Amino acid sequence: MSKKINIPDNIIGLTDIEVKVSRGKFGNNEQIHKQKYRWWKALFDLFKEPMLSLLIAVAIIYFILGQYNEAYFMLAAIIAVSGISFYQDNRSRKALEALEKLNEPLSTVLRNGVEKKIPTKEIVVNDLVIGKEGNTINADGEIVHSNDFSVNESALTGEAYAVFKSEKTENKTIYSGTLVASGLAIYRVNKIGSETEIGKLGSSLLSIKEEATPLQVQIEKFVKVMAIIGIVIFLLVWAVYFWRTHDLLNSLLKGLTLAMSILPEEIPVAFTTFMALGSWRLMKEGVIVKKIRTVETLGGATIICTDKTGTITENKMSLQSVYAFKNDHLYENQEDWKNEEAIKVIEIAMWASEPVAFDPMEKSLHREYEKITATDVRRAFSMVHEYPLEGKPPMMTHVFQNKEAERIIAAKGGPETMIKVCKLNPEEKERIHKTIDTLASKGYRILGVGYSEYKGNEYPKNQQDLPFIFVGLVVFYDPPKANIEHVIQQFYDAGIEVKVITGDNSITTRAIAEKAGIKETDSILEGEQIMQLDNSEMLKAIHSTTLLTRMFPDAKLAVVNALKKDRQIVAMVGDGVNDGPALKASHIGIAMGKKGTEIAKTAADLILVDDDLSKMVVAVAAGRRIYTNLKKAVQYIVSIHIPIILTVSLPLFFGWVYPDIFTPVHVIFLELIMGPMCSIVYENEPEEQNSMLQKPRQLGSTFLSLKEMGISIIQGIVITMGILFVYQLTVQNGGGENLTRTMVFTTLVFSNIILSMVNRSFYYSVFTSLKNKNNMMVFANSATLLMLVLIIYVTPIAQFFAVLPLKLPQIGICVLVSTVSVAWIEIWKWNKRVKMISLK
């Protein structure tokens, strides 16, 4: 999409042919060339996984022992396990690539005299690029046209202050990676990609690895501990079996069987799959996740700090009223704005705006000027001096002059600031303040307007030193979004505090907040007040306050940091340049996709594509669903691994009659049905009914603690007791090794199926959970049952697994024991629901 913009006629940019020539000569604007994905390399990397190494070792031993059927089964298992892993990795990779494509930055260029948005990598040498306040400079170049333009070059110099640059000064070179702090500039590109100053650092960026999340670190530690335990028990089993049988290879096979049953390699795979697919699902909902690690934190947000303009409100600033100070009259109807005094206020406000407006209020002023003026003289005047937006509250001043040396000095800003810099007596100030309070109580945004008749040749260093004359007020209205009240209530229902952090005044903020359904709007604190408090006082004040007004970047950052120190999980929502530091510092930075500045988008972790805050509710719900489902998956893995480990080891340690009840083929079959269950089936599990009615989890808490995993360990032990009961029952009734193995194996498979369904919720009953649609669960369990039937009743397969066909009563015993071993948790869940209801 392209459009004409108001710039000098001689600046038209490259033609399509010139773009092709430049690209052919200098290439694309890419600083880092990522290594292209190769499927065969990804497949090769899979063979570094411990489970595949164990399978390969077992296959080799079977070949040495001459047990070729088992050896070929292991080879098939290697293909199956690597195939499942490859599918999961490929699915995650594609999801991340789709996210990366959406996150690709866009740049605005001039081509054929038309403004056009293109992917940043398509910028070519000699392109004319437009940089506006909030944008990132995406190539090195020289300014050819500018208005009130300054850049933050901290990415290169380390200095955080803004540097003013112009085509009229020697300092007109700008660099890729720097941020536009104010104004607008059109610059001609002379270096792109790795040739830029920041591009020369590109190779070092390749070696930077993203820091692991707390949960990721804990998962890695858990898997390492289990691996160490596996090695110790493997050596112990190998030694015990060898001591009893003096058979080296069979002892090694027994040890490897146990090692395979202990290694929880599904957990890290599940974590990666959940995070990547969770991000992909959010993308489809209109939420772009820039870093998948954010998904882990989403559901834990305890406080949402939101800007007002563009987040709670529509960011459609339209001129609502004009107050003329000279005759003390408020012009509320557009028909009245053609009055001489109203025209003067609008004209001065327009001259105090950027010539090429990008702020909604300034655009509105330019539009109204065009409607009310008889003669548009904007092209006759050029800017000769400018003072940037500064101060608390800020103001800005522009100086224009035409060929006849006629001068216009116009200023606008926060009403309090404009009243201070204009010569007004106490009575006049009181009159203006009354008008401001009346307008602000209706939720209007108000700017003071003034002009100066300064005739000197040299302008003062500070705009506040100019002699200003107060003209009046321009009044804007930015209505709350239609759905915002429902959105805010959903945050409250989810146990999340909401705080409004805005640069606007207290009265306007309160009026909008009340319309948006925000609670406790009587508690208000201003930025200057916050910065005067020490750490403990600041935290106490923040917790007791809902509306934080007249906030500047340092104050917003201070609030976020104070809440983080209090172990809150902070989500910051914003769209402006002044939100950047707070967005970057928060646990979850959320920027607006349409109206958000590039600085805000760069600093944020999430981007709401349609600027709809309700998508943040979707994101929090998704975060909670992902975290809960990952917890269920890990609890399932722990619960089902325990009976496998104990069924393999205890008969040997206790000296029971059939110590080889499970061989590697049985264990690998169980692994093949467990892997997809935890990483694909549970990832597909829908959100629970009460998910968004729960309080957020505490910072640093994970489900890998003994307290959280206790119920899963008990589940695993009870299932083991049931399996060993079936073992002894079969043996005591004269069952041989194959029948005992069949009964134990069948009981474990049934227990796995029932466990997968029961563990769909640790609150609701299994019957309630069955109403939640999850086709993957139905498919996985149906496939498991079908394979069990084939293993038991198809003779060649039964012989291979060393099992026997079961009669109906025997199957009944397996089903009954499995049900009792697993379904007892339904009583625990029922008791949990009763307690929860009684607390309410």
Side-chain angles (χ1 to χ4, degrees):
M1 187 175 175
S2 60
K3 60 179 180 177
K4 284 282 182 182
I5 61 171
N6 182 25
I7 59 169
D9 295 333
N10 62 330
I11 301 178
I12 60 172
L14 299 178
T15 64
D16 293 340
I17 294 173
E18 288 171 333
V19 169
K20 286 182 180 178
V21 171
S22 181
R23 184 170 289 122
K25 188 174 181 181
F26 299 104
N28 285 331
N29 185 34
E30 294 178 291
Q31 293 177 2
I32 300 173
H33 300 279
K34 291 185 178 179
Q35 192 173 9
K36 192 175 179 181
Y37 173 79
R38 305 286 183 189
W39 67 267
W40 53 269
K41 282 186 178 179
L43 197 59
F44 179 76
D45 287 339
L46 289 176
F47 285 88
K48 298 175 184 177
E49 295 296 326
M51 180 56 72
L52 280 176
S53 300
L54 289 174
L55 287 172
I56 292 168
V58 170
I60 291 170
I61 292 171
Y62 274 134
F63 273 118
I64 294 172
L65 291 172
Q67 298 177 22
Y68 297 113
N69 288 338
E70 288 81 355
Y72 290 130
F73 176 80
M74 283 297 134
L75 290 179
I78 290 168
I79 294 169
V81 170
S82 57
I84 292 170
S85 298
F86 186 73
Y87 168 75
Q88 290 170 337
D89 288 347
N90 199 46
R91 196 177 176 201
S92 300
R93 179 184 60 81
K94 285 183 176 178
L96 293 176
E97 283 177 355
L99 286 170
E100 194 174 301
K101 193 172 182 181
L102 275 177
N103 281 324
E104 185 178 10
L106 298 175
S107 294
T108 306
V109 297
L110 273 174
R111 289 183 180 168
N112 302 303
V114 176
E115 181 182 356
K116 186 178 180 182
K117 283 191 178 291
I118 62 169
T120 292
K121 67 181 180 183
E122 292 181 12
I123 292 175
V124 299
V125 171
N126 291 323
D127 247 330
L128 290 180
V129 183
I130 302 171
K132 300 177 183 178
E133 183 177 319
N135 287 173
T136 301
I137 301 298
N138 290 315
D140 290 0
E142 290 200 350
I143 299 171
V144 297
H145 174 77
S146 66
N147 291 318
D148 189 25
F149 182 74
S150 67
V151 286
N152 183 319
E153 297 184 334
S154 58
L156 288 174
T157 65
E159 301 290 344
Y161 55 81
V163 180
F164 283 89
K165 299 194 175 190
S166 167
E167 74 279 9
K168 299 171 185 175
T169 63
E170 290 184 12
N171 191 13
K172 59 183 177 181
T173 302
I174 53 178
Y175 301 99
S176 179
T178 58
L179 303 172
V180 181
S182 66
L184 172 146
I186 300 171
Y187 60 96
R188 178 171 281 107
V189 174
N190 53 31
K191 289 180 183 178
I192 59 173
S194 57
E195 295 301 311
T196 61
E197 291 299 311
I198 203 165
K200 293 170 184 176
L201 303 173
S203 58
S204 63
L205 295 177
L206 283 171
S207 61
I208 298 174
K209 292 184 178 179
E210 193 173 288
E211 186 181 347
T213 65
L215 181 57
Q216 217 170 346
V217 170
Q218 290 184 343
I219 284 174
E220 287 173 4
K221 285 182 180 177
F222 179 76
V223 173
K224 284 179 182 176
V225 168
M226 292 302 293
I228 291 168
I229 292 171
I231 291 169
V232 171
I233 296 179
F234 157 69
L235 294 172
L236 182 62
V237 169
W238 187 11
V240 171
Y241 204 85
F242 180 71
W243 176 66
R244 288 182 179 175
T245 64
H246 300 287
D247 187 334
L248 181 65
L249 287 177
N250 275 312
S251 301
L252 183 58
L253 202 59
K254 187 71 177 177
L256 289 173
T257 303
L258 191 62
M260 287 165 56
S261 68
I262 291 174
L263 190 66
E265 86 290 341
E266 303 97 339
I267 295 179
V269 173
F271 178 85
T272 304
T273 303
F274 274 58
M275 296 303 136
L277 293 184
S279 301
W280 178 73
R281 290 180 194 275
L282 280 171
M283 177 187 71
K284 292 174 73 176
E285 293 282 354
V287 181
I288 299 174
V289 181
K290 293 177 64 183
K291 296 177 182 176
I292 64 167
R293 55 181 291 177
T294 311
V295 174
E296 178 195 325
T297 318
L298 271 175
T302 58
I303 292 180
I304 289 181
C305 301
T306 175
D307 188 21
K308 177 178 72 66
T309 306
T311 51
I312 293 177
T313 63
E314 293 181 359
N315 199 19
K316 292 179 180 177
M317 282 288 185
S318 56
L319 191 62
Q320 185 78 14
S321 306
V322 178
Y323 169 73
F325 172 67
K326 188 174 182 180
N327 60 7
D328 191 28
H329 189 78
L330 181 67
Y331 299 91
E332 297 186 82
N333 299 315
Q334 289 190 15
E335 294 80 16
D336 298 333
W337 293 350
K338 292 187 179 180
N339 176 280
E340 184 182 347
E341 295 304 322
I343 289 173
K344 187 171 184 180
V345 177
I346 294 172
E347 283 183 343
I348 297 298
M350 184 279 297
W351 287 115
S353 303
E354 294 295 341
V356 182
F358 48 86
D359 178 83
M361 288 187 292
E362 294 190 342
K363 286 180 178 179
S364 179
L365 288 168
H366 275 278
R367 282 195 304 268
E368 296 306 328
Y369 171 81
E370 289 171 4
K371 292 177 185 178
I372 63 171
T373 186
T375 308
D376 189 341
V377 297
R378 285 178 293 184
R379 285 195 174 273
F381 284 79
S382 59
M383 191 184 293
V384 293
H385 194 77
E386 58 186 325
Y387 293 96
L389 189 69
E390 61 178 4
K392 299 172 186 177
M395 65 174 287
M396 63 192 301
T397 305
H398 289 161
V399 182
F400 291 87
Q401 193 167 300
N402 63 8
K403 292 177 181 178
E404 288 76 35
E406 291 177 320
R407 186 183 290 177
I408 299 172
I409 303 177
K412 64 176 170 59
E416 305 96 319
T417 302
M418 291 306 301
I419 290 170
K420 283 180 185 177
V421 299
C422 295
K423 292 181 180 178
L424 298 165
N425 61 46
E427 189 179 316
E428 290 171 329
K429 288 180 181 179
E430 187 179 350
R431 182 175 14 126
I432 298 167
H433 278 299
K434 281 184 180 179
T435 303
I436 292 169
D437 290 346
T438 302
L439 293 168
S441 66
K442 297 177 182 179
Y444 296 150
R445 179 78 181 272
I446 307 157
L447 294 178
V449 181
Y451 71 95
S452 178
E453 295 177 341
Y454 181 74
K455 302 294 183 183
N457 292 325
E458 291 193 12
Y459 298 99
K461 184 178 179 182
N462 299 313
Q463 58 187 320
Q464 291 85 356
D465 296 332
L466 285 165
F468 283 106
I469 298 166
F470 192 80
V471 178
L473 305 170
V474 281
V475 184
F476 301 88
Y477 186 53
D478 184 15
K481 291 179 178 177
N483 65 341
I484 196 65
E485 196 169 353
H486 177 61
V487 171
I488 297 299
Q489 187 56 50
Q490 285 180 293
F491 287 138
Y492 287 139
D493 291 343
I496 303 171
E497 286 186 58
V498 179
K499 295 190 182 296
V500 179
I501 301 184
T502 178
D504 212 339
N505 66 60
S506 301
I507 301 173
T508 301
T509 303
R510 178 187 289 163
I512 294 293
E514 286 174 349
K515 290 178 182 178
I518 291 172
K519 299 175 182 177
E520 299 177 8
T521 55
D522 289 335
S523 55
I524 300 175
L525 204 60
E526 294 196 351
E528 290 286 4
Q529 295 173 294
I530 289 172
M531 298 304 283
Q532 292 171 8
L533 302 173
D534 62 31
N535 291 339
S536 60
E537 290 175 336
M538 182 185 292
L539 187 59
K540 189 177 179 181
I542 292 168
H543 275 306
S544 62
T545 306
T546 302
L547 307 182
L548 305 169
T549 62
R550 288 301 186 205
M551 297 290 285
F552 41 93
D554 289 347
K556 291 183 180 185
L557 180 61
V559 168
V560 169
N561 284 333
L563 290 171
K564 283 172 68 180
K565 286 178 183 175
D566 192 42
R567 297 186 64 77
Q568 302 292 330
I569 298 180
V570 185
M572 174 72 197
V573 188
D575 60 358
V577 176
N578 59 355
D579 297 316
L583 287 169
K584 187 76 174 175
S586 63
H587 293 104
I588 312 163
I590 305 113
M592 298 295 151
K594 287 182 178 177
K595 294 173 182 173
T597 61
E598 198 169 326
I599 287 179
K601 292 177 189 177
T602 302
D605 302 298
L606 300 181
I607 298 173
L608 306 182
V609 175
D610 295 325
D611 293 4
D612 184 356
L613 195 61
S614 68
K615 296 299 184 183
M616 187 57 200
V617 177
V618 173
V620 171
R624 291 189 177 188
R625 183 189 70 82
I626 290 163
Y627 184 86
T628 303
N629 286 350
L630 182 60
K631 177 181 176 181
K632 292 173 190 174
V634 173
Q635 288 180 305
Y636 160 79
I637 292 166
V638 171
S639 295
I640 202 63
H641 263 276
I642 289 171
I644 297 173
I645 295 166
L646 296 180
T647 305
V648 170
S649 59
L650 290 183
L652 172 65
F653 293 147
F654 291 162
W656 287 1
V657 63
Y658 306 128
D660 296 331
I661 202 69
F662 281 167
T663 66
V665 296
H666 300 98
V667 173
I668 195 58
F669 171 78
L670 294 167
E671 290 287 341
L672 285 172
I673 62 175
M674 283 161 42
M677 179 64 71
C678 70
S679 59
I680 297 175
V681 176
Y682 273 110
E683 192 282 327
N684 201 51
E685 189 67 14
E687 177 187 344
E688 291 194 35
Q689 297 172 20
N690 64 348
S691 173
M692 287 298 283
L693 299 175
Q694 303 293 315
K695 288 184 178 180
R697 69 179 188 273
Q698 292 183 336
L699 180 65
S701 66
T702 72
F703 48 72
L704 287 171
S705 64
L706 185 60
K707 182 181 177 182
E708 289 283 350
M709 299 307 296
I711 191 68
S712 302
I713 294 169
I714 294 170
Q715 277 185 303
I717 291 171
V718 174
I719 292 170
T720 304
M721 290 167 64
I723 290 168
L724 295 182
F725 168 78
V726 169
Y727 180 111
Q728 287 295 342
L729 181 67
T730 307
V731 171
Q732 295 302 322
N733 284 283
E737 183 175 8
N738 284 2
L739 179 60
T740 304
R741 178 179 295 113
T742 310
M743 292 290 287
V744 167
F745 183 72
T746 303
T747 303
L748 183 52
V749 172
F750 278 132
S751 296
N752 174 72
I753 292 170
I754 299 168
L755 180 73
S756 69
M757 293 189 291
V758 166
N759 279 23
R760 290 180 72 183
S761 176
F762 284 85
Y763 180 80
Y764 293 107
S765 74
V766 67
F767 302 107
T768 303
S769 298
L770 285 171
K771 295 175 185 176
N772 298 330
K773 187 178 179 182
N774 186 348
N775 291 334
M776 294 299 293
M777 178 74 73
V778 175
F779 174 78
N781 283 330
S782 299
T784 301
L785 278 174
L786 177 61
M787 286 188 282
L788 179 63
V789 169
L790 294 175
I791 288 170
I792 295 175
Y793 294 106
V794 177
T795 304
I797 302 176
Q799 289 175 349
F800 175 75
F801 276 87
V803 295
L804 297 172
L806 295 179
K807 297 175 182 178
L808 193 60
Q810 293 169 322
I811 293 175
I813 291 171
C814 295
V815 172
L816 178 63
V817 172
S818 300
T819 303
V820 172
S821 299
V822 179
W824 63 267
I825 198 172
E826 290 299 319
I827 300 171
W828 178 82
K829 288 194 282 185
W830 173 80
N831 185 54
K832 189 176 181 180
R833 290 195 299 275
V834 169
K835 284 183 179 178
M836 191 67 70
I837 292 168
S838 64
L839 287 173
K840 291 179 180 179

